[in-house]
Structures are given as C-alpha cells and as structure tokens.
Amino acid sequence: MKKLLFVFSLLFVGIYANAQDKPQFLEVDYQMEMKLDADQVMASVPAAWKAQVEEPLRQEIKNGIFIDYKLKTNGTESEYKMQEKINNDQTPAGLILQQMTAMDKEPLFKDIKEKYFLKPYNVGKAYLVKDSLKTVNWKITKEKETIAGFDTYKATGVMNDSIPVTAWYTPKINIKDGPDRMWGLPGLILKAEFEMNGAELIIAATKVAVKEEEIKITKPSKGQILTEKEFMDEMLAFQEKMKEMYGGGVDSE
C-alpha cells in the first residue's frame, strides 16, 4: 500500500511540474495615453514652422493622444507592437501621432529569461537596438486596483536610474513581463505610469486573452546593431543636422 501511495505521489508531482513548465500564451491589449504641455512642445518647434503647426498641435494635445499596443507572449519571449488604426472619417492623424507611428511601427522584442530586448528602427537607414533589460528595484505595496478584470497590486521603482515609475501587476498571471520595457514583477504588469522627455505616459491594459494555440514570437535580425545609448546619440546628431539645414533652431523667447 505504501508503495502504491508513493507511485501516485510521484505521478502527481510529475503532472504538477509539467503544468508549471507549460508555457502560457497570452495576447494583451494596452492603450497608452500621452499627456503633454502645449507650451513646452511649442518651445521646441523651429521658429520657421511655428505659425504653420501651432494651432493643430495645440488642438491635438487638447483632444488627447492615445495609442494602442498589443503584447504577445509565450511566457519567456514577447512582442510589443503598436496597432495602427484605420481612420474611417478620412481626417488626417495629428502631427504628434504621425511622428510616433513613424518611429514606433516596428515591434519591441523581449527575452525575459536572457534579460535583453531588440527594437528595430528605420529612419532612412535600418537600425537594430540591442540592450539589456534594466533591473528595477521594485517596492511592492498592499494597494490594489482592478484592471482589465484582474486584481492588481501597486509597485513603485526607478527606471534607467532616474525615471520614477508606478506599476500595477497581477500575481494571477505568472509572467514577469509587461508593456514596453516594463518587466521584473512577480506577475504580468497591466498598468504603468511614468514621465519621460516632458511627457506623462499612462499605459493600461484593456483586454487579456489566453490562447490555447502556440504564439510564435519573431526575433528581429535586420539593421545595424547599436546599444540604446548609441542609437540615441546618433538620432540627436541627426536632429542637429536637420536644424542646421532648415535654418536656425527654436525661439529663444
């Protein structure tokens, strides 16, 4: 009898271990809200363009800037991609939204196990940013909020050594992933709030779908490989060249 119980206990442990090892396939819809200070945005616009773009820029900021993303994950690898909307009313997208779409149309690839990400950009030339996923020293609180039908817990930390971030994660989904470069909490991050480059960003999940079929994540491979800092330095140099070409920077008032 003892031997029989021992065999059954081994069988149960084996089933439980296999269930734990089985990858989870999820698709999560997120919406990012971008809040900007109109005066600060206008201060960065070259004087030669200001009269032409001021009114539409201020109106776009007033109306609110919302961008949809989708996270596809198998538990260890993920793809986070902007979802371009079909504009049924035929009105042109706002200037800021057009720029965001142009710069962010390629998916972000994350490998949670190996702790790195890949992000392609095509700005007249193909680049592939490859860098480590920065570790955030998260402080988990007891504060709770329901997001996309899940109970979540609040956590705070600092990204990139200087950007305070607030995140909400659900322990019910045991994946240490989240929107954009968010990761590292004991559960999927369903909401993140932080400020970057003068913009207040709020990224919140609107829908979580569990998939039975395997989700295949495509790993980007094309483009000149740079670290994130190297890429930003190159883009800043390009921006300075553009200012020189179009004569004269921003207002100094």
Side-chain angles (χ1 to χ4, degrees), residues 40-167:
Q40 188 175 350
V41 171
M42 291 312 304
S44 67
V45 175
W49 299 350
K50 185 162 291 190
Q52 182 181 354
V53 303
E54 181 164 10
E55 185 178 345
L57 275 177
R58 287 188 181 276
Q59 189 60 49
E60 183 180 5
I61 292 167
K62 182 180 178 182
N63 292 343
I65 300 167
F66 299 89
I67 306 173
D68 294 330
Y69 288 86
K70 187 182 289 289
L71 177 75
K72 295 181 180 181
T73 177
N74 60 21
T76 56
E77 294 180 335
S78 66
E79 173 189 284
Y80 183 71
K81 187 176 182 181
M82 176 186 287
Q83 305 298 293
E84 294 188 49
K85 290 183 178 179
I86 299 173
N87 197 349
N88 293 322
D89 61 8
Q90 300 301 309
T91 57
L95 296 171
I96 296 170
L97 190 56
Q98 286 182 46
Q99 286 192 337
M100 289 290 296
T101 302
M103 280 296 294
D104 202 23
K105 63 183 177 181
E106 299 294 339
L108 171 75
F109 170 89
K110 278 186 288 187
D111 188 320
I112 298 298
K113 186 176 180 181
E114 300 298 328
K115 301 179 182 178
Y116 75 92
F117 72 87
L118 296 168
K119 174 68 174 177
Y121 292 96
N122 196 326
V123 284
K125 177 181 175 180
Y127 295 94
L128 182 61
V129 174
K130 181 178 182 180
D131 218 326
S132 60
L133 286 167
K134 303 295 189 295
T135 300
V136 177
N137 185 21
W138 294 108
K139 294 181 180 178
I140 296 172
T141 74
K142 294 181 180 180
E143 194 172 340
K144 295 174 69 176
E145 183 176 317
T146 301
I147 300 171
F150 289 85
D151 289 335
T152 66
Y153 291 89
K154 180 180 177 181
T156 59
V158 177
M159 300 188 303
N160 300 334
D161 300 321
S162 61
I163 303 171
V165 58
T166 299

